[in-house]
Amino acid sequence: MSDPADDPFAWEHATIDGKYEVDAVVGRGGFGVVYGARHLGFGEKVAVKCLKIPQTLSSDERSQFQQSFLAEGRLLHQLSRATAGIVQALDVGTAVSPNGTWTPFLVLEWLEGRSLEQDFAGRRKDGVPGRTLRESIELMDSAVRALEVAHSQGIAHRDIKPANLFITEIGGRTTLKVLDFGIAKVVSDSESMTKAFEATGASLQAFTARYGSPEQFSRRYGSTGPWTDVFALTLVLIEMVIGRSPLDGSDAAQLFISAADTLHRPTLRTHGVETSDAIEAVLKTALSVDPKERYPSAGPFWDALIAAVEASGEAGNIAGRSRSPSLPLFSSTSATRVEGPAVEIVPAGDAPARTELTSSTPAQRGPAQPPTAQGSRRVALITAGVLSLVSVIIVLLFHAKSSGPTDGASSPANSAVASNSLALTGGSAPERPPVPAASAPGAPSVASSASAAPAAGGTNAATRALPGFPSRDIPAGTVEDSGAWLDKFSVLEREGGAGLNLADAFARCADVGKALCSESQWRRACASFPEVAQAASWTESLEDGQSVVRGGATCSTRKLVSEDDRDPARVGLCCDRAIAMTTTTLQKQFLASVGNVLIKVEKALNQRNIDGFLELSDDKISLNQKPSDKASLRNLLTQSFSASQDLVVVNDICDISVEGKRTFKKVHRKKVPVTETTGWSAVCRQTRHRDGKAFSAKSTYDFTATSKIRAIADAESRGPE
């Protein structure tokens, strides 16, 4: 009899659903168990994946999960029928196991062969070097083309790694198949399901650190999607060539830093493999820290790589390079999915490497998830004292007298910030998925990228607080009454987002690469689309220590509420990052370029890009009237980034002023008076989030005439408790 830990369902030597006679456990992971079985009707061997579902669910919750699970199983079946490069899904259902456990199961084709992970391990053991670039491309081609079929439908894998790529023979030809397209969405859709899983210590968004992209370690880098798979595919390809892992590090913290190091990208050239400039450029683009700068999906990446290899003359024509068609798998009413694997399969007898973020060491869900006693344990991906890189809106802490809040005194990190540091901030919301750029030809438009990251609340429009309002593009212009100017942005109403408090609403927006709309953005959106006013919405703006809620009746409806309030009818509209700006000294047509500079500063701080921030700074900079040079600033940044943990800052509205001096210029031998710009400044009102609470702050950024930062001053204030 097998160990119950290996076979928690007791399915061995039993029959599932009257059709599948189970032999033995062949794989297991944090979310389930894979059995070798025999189809009684056809007499063929199959693999049956059984999910571990918390038994604490109510009958209604279980019924809801079952319907979603069956729908997702059918979706995977359609996807696997479109390409032989994905393991074929044959059946889906639920059954009660011999020990009484309710078991959702998925039946998959049986594969003979070995995983790429086993192949790598065997070659290292035998002292066999890595494959040539040509051999690597030809082996990976079928899997990459299969991924592009999925990507064309908006479906991302999000855990591409050697263990999930399987070498097998099909029709006498070696083929690499993609395993473990999961069903995490049907679990994460339900709040009760999520809580039930978390109570068991499981994570619904597991990924493997050694092949993780920056946005998987922290959603503050942007949302995950097909571009996330591109990052992992590139790491796998490079490992296949060099014969070892391309990321430096032995634990999750070190791998996080390596994945997000903008100055050191783990390309072939970095690892001593001579390649052409064209190949190096393709790999650098695929491994960009910023998701927007990567190829948007597997197909464009692979085509660019093959073209670069063939142009270099290194490999001749690549065999099997014909592009897999992107088949129209689903009807126009079907929902696309940008989700990840629910089960990580670990070969029987093998323990997961300690660098893997499996269900026992979950990834952070979002950048602004309010910490709790349990949540803090769950999101502790990085050991104490190591940077927790953030890229929504990061806080730059400089050693000076603090006027900040003291509500985090129970935390050593927060206590140090409150007593020894001054929070000087930059900020931009989480980056949205890739948009058209020179480095990413064929990237989706803003509108399509918003729809390609569906909310976790399902797709039935009838459940929306604002039916028919999935996403809208708002043109640049001024806000009625206030006169503040906003650059263009898009706004999204996420499904299932009603009844959340402010912190939860902020986190849901961050999950799809956006931020809660500021009050100014909400007013611009409502002026363009009055239906926005049909539902009351949180905004990112504070007044007198309370949160501003807009809408619920008309575009002028406004009230102040506690940030912990949970009105079941209230939503949180999500916006692209755009800073509202007022000015009396600058023509509005120039505000877009000014806002661009502020976003660049914020982005450098968001991603903890010290060199990037220094490039945006003057040689001499004043921090709260304390002079500093770049060397001192680098040290302060290094110390401060390691200290900042939970503080998130959003610039709400900035007042822009331009400085100048009157001089004379010779024009046709005559002196003509002119005004010479000497610099400009931005006084920014902010909302800061810490420990699940929000409070107001203000930062002043002073720039030279060439838009280099020359001074920063900061103040933090608390509203009424």
Side-chain angles (χ1 to χ4, degrees):
M1 184 174 179
S2 63
D3 188 334
D6 291 331
D7 183 14
F9 305 99
W11 275 120
E12 285 190 347
H13 311 302
T15 301
I16 297 178
D17 200 28
K19 293 184 287 186
Y20 306 104
E21 186 178 79
V22 177
D23 295 326
V25 173
V26 295
R28 63 186 184 276
F31 287 100
V33 176
V34 176
Y35 297 90
R38 185 171 60 90
H39 189 294
L40 293 177
F42 296 129
E44 295 288 337
K45 196 164 186 179
V46 294
V48 182
K49 178 190 295 184
C50 296
L51 298 188
K52 300 180 197 174
I53 299 300
Q55 300 300 300
T56 56
L57 297 179
S58 68
S59 58
D60 288 343
E61 291 167 344
R62 180 177 293 183
S63 176
Q64 181 183 8
F65 173 82
Q66 181 174 357
Q67 294 304 312
S68 299
F69 173 75
L70 294 176
E72 288 296 316
R74 288 190 290 268
L75 185 87
L76 177 59
H77 173 64
Q78 290 177 302
L79 176 62
S80 66
R81 286 181 62 190
T83 171
I86 294 175
V87 63
Q88 305 297 290
L90 306 175
D91 195 4
V92 63
T94 61
V96 177
S97 74
N99 65 7
T101 303
W102 184 69
T103 313
F105 66 87
L106 187 65
V107 181
L108 306 167
E109 69 172 316
W110 182 262
L111 296 176
E112 295 287 350
R114 65 194 184 282
S115 71
L116 200 56
E117 180 182 56
Q118 293 168 326
D119 177 82
F120 286 174
R123 292 172 74 94
R124 285 192 293 267
K125 180 180 178 181
D126 296 338
V128 179
R131 293 173 170 87
T132 66
L133 183 56
R134 173 176 181 153
E135 291 171 337
S136 300
I137 290 175
E138 290 182 344
L139 177 58
M140 289 185 65
D141 189 76
S142 58
V144 176
R145 298 306 184 187
L147 277 173
E148 177 57 17
V149 173
H151 289 173
S152 70
Q153 306 300 325
I155 304 170
H157 190 292
R158 296 195 307 180
D159 195 21
I160 293 297
K161 59 183 178 180
N164 281 337
L165 298 170
F166 198 87
I167 303 172
T168 188
E169 296 289 327
I170 297 180
R173 180 178 176 180
T174 300
T175 299
L176 194 65
K177 286 214 177 201
V178 182
L179 309 181
D180 234 10
F181 267 102
I183 55 170
K185 185 178 190 305
V186 296
V187 181
S188 60
D189 273 356
S190 167
E191 182 178 357
S192 58
M193 183 72 70
T194 301
K195 289 181 178 179
F197 262 104
E198 289 173 346
T200 69
S203 165
L204 304 180
Q205 298 187 3
F207 69 101
T208 304
R210 191 160 294 283
Y211 306 92
S213 63
E215 66 270 20
Q216 287 180 294
F217 286 102
S218 173
R219 287 293 180 88
R220 296 177 172 95
Y221 280 88
S223 55
T224 59
W227 44 92
T228 303
D229 292 345
V230 169
F231 192 98
L233 278 170
T234 310
L235 292 179
V236 173
L237 173 71
I238 292 171
E239 182 172 356
M240 193 178 291
V241 175
I242 67 175
R244 63 185 185 280
S245 172
L247 288 184
D248 296 328
S250 58
D251 58 29
Q254 295 170 353
L255 293 168
F256 184 3
I257 294 171
S258 181
D261 185 350
T262 56
L263 298 180
H264 182 85
R265 306 317 300 142
T267 62
L268 286 174
R269 220 178 247 183
T270 298
H271 291 285
V273 178
E274 290 298 324
T275 59
S276 69
D277 290 343
I279 294 172
E280 182 72 2
V282 170
L283 297 178
K284 278 188 174 180
T285 298
L287 292 171
S288 294
V289 172
D290 188 339
K292 296 196 314 301
E293 297 175 359
R294 279 182 231 144
Y295 296 97
S297 63
F301 158 57
W302 206 239
D303 290 341
L305 178 62
I306 289 176
V309 170
E310 292 183 347
S312 71
E314 292 186 20
N317 291 329
I318 303 295
R321 61 164 297 185
S322 59
R323 184 178 177 83
S324 298
S326 297
L327 302 180
L329 305 184
F330 316 116
S331 69
S332 59
T333 59
S334 297
T336 57
R337 299 285 186 263
V338 181
E339 295 301 330
V343 181
E344 178 182 353
I345 300 303
V346 180
D350 294 341
R354 66 188 182 98
T355 58
E356 296 196 357
L357 300 181
T358 61
S359 59
S360 60
T361 54
Q364 281 187 334
R365 179 174 177 80
Q369 188 68 32
T372 61
Q374 182 183 11
S376 296
R377 291 192 296 270
R378 289 199 311 270
V379 301
L381 304 184
I382 300 180
T383 55
V386 181
L387 298 182
S388 174
L389 303 183
V390 293
S391 68
V392 183
I393 308 158
I394 192 66
V395 179
L396 171 60
L397 299 171
F398 297 103
H399 289 279
K401 182 178 180 181
S402 172
S403 58
T406 58
D407 62 324
S410 61
S411 165
N414 287 339
S415 177
V417 170
S419 62
N420 298 323
S421 301
L422 173 70
L424 289 179
T425 70
S428 68
E431 303 292 351
R432 61 178 177 262
V435 296
S439 61
S445 65
V446 173
S448 65
S449 65
S451 62
T459 56
N460 184 357
T463 66
R464 307 189 74 93
L466 297 173
F469 193 87
S471 180
R472 295 288 188 273
D473 292 328
I474 311 300
T478 56
V479 179
E480 188 178 351
D481 298 331
S482 74
W485 186 89
L486 277 163
D487 204 351
K488 62 183 178 180
F489 62 93
S490 67
V491 59
L492 171 71
E493 190 268 309
R494 292 197 65 190
E495 300 175 36
L500 304 176
N501 65 13
L502 176 65
D504 290 341
F506 183 87
R508 277 182 60 82
C509 288
D511 279 347
V512 290
K514 296 181 183 290
L516 271 178
C517 301
S518 67
E519 184 176 14
S520 296
Q521 288 181 299
W522 188 94
R523 292 169 69 186
R524 274 293 294 166
C526 201
S528 300
F529 301 97
E531 61 266 34
V532 167
Q534 293 175 12
S537 175
W538 289 108
T539 73
E540 191 54 39
S541 303
L542 299 179
E543 184 177 309
D544 297 330
Q546 292 187 294
S547 299
V548 178
V549 171
R550 296 303 303 251
T554 69
C555 287
S556 60
T557 305
R558 182 181 191 268
K559 66 178 180 178
L560 304 179
V561 302
S562 164
E563 63 190 270
D564 293 323
D565 186 73
R566 292 180 181 270
D567 186 335
R570 185 184 304 129
V571 300
L573 287 183
C574 306
C575 284
D576 293 332
R577 189 74 181 99
I579 303 173
M581 291 180 283
T582 59
T583 185
T584 57
T585 59
L586 186 65
Q587 294 182 3
K588 288 187 170 59
Q589 61 261 38
F590 296 110
L591 283 175
S593 59
V594 168
N596 236 5
V597 174
L598 290 172
I599 293 297
K600 285 182 180 179
V601 173
E602 293 169 348
K603 183 177 177 181
L605 294 173
N606 295 346
Q607 297 186 353
R608 303 207 172 198
N609 184 351
I610 293 177
D611 290 284
F613 184 81
L614 293 177
E615 287 179 6
L616 296 167
S617 302
D618 199 16
D619 290 336
K620 299 292 183 181
I621 186 170
S622 172
L623 307 174
N624 272 12
Q625 301 181 343
K626 181 179 179 181
S628 177
D629 57 22
K630 285 194 173 181
S632 299
L633 180 57
R634 179 183 291 277
N635 292 333
L636 289 171
L637 286 167
T638 301
Q639 296 169 15
S640 301
F641 283 163
S642 65
S644 59
Q645 298 294 326
D646 299 325
L647 190 60
V648 176
V649 180
V650 177
N651 283 309
D652 184 353
I653 185 168
C654 296
D655 186 64
I656 309 299
S657 59
V658 178
E659 304 167 3
K661 65 179 180 180
R662 196 171 181 81
T663 61
F664 292 89
K665 182 179 180 180
K666 280 188 178 182
V667 178
H668 301 300
R669 298 184 180 180
K670 291 183 179 181
K671 288 186 177 181
V672 179
V674 296
T675 300
E676 180 182 327
T677 300
T678 58
W680 59 279
S681 63
V683 181
C684 299
R685 188 179 70 203
Q686 302 167 336
T687 300
R688 298 185 181 178
H689 298 260
R690 177 185 289 147
D691 296 332
K693 299 294 182 183
F695 50 94
S696 300
K698 184 174 73 174
S699 284
T700 300
Y701 300 90
D702 189 32
F703 294 86
T704 66
T706 56
S707 294
K708 296 289 186 180
I709 306 169
R710 62 186 177 190
I712 305 177
D714 181 83
E716 222 172 62
S717 61
R718 294 290 295 182
E721 297 296 333

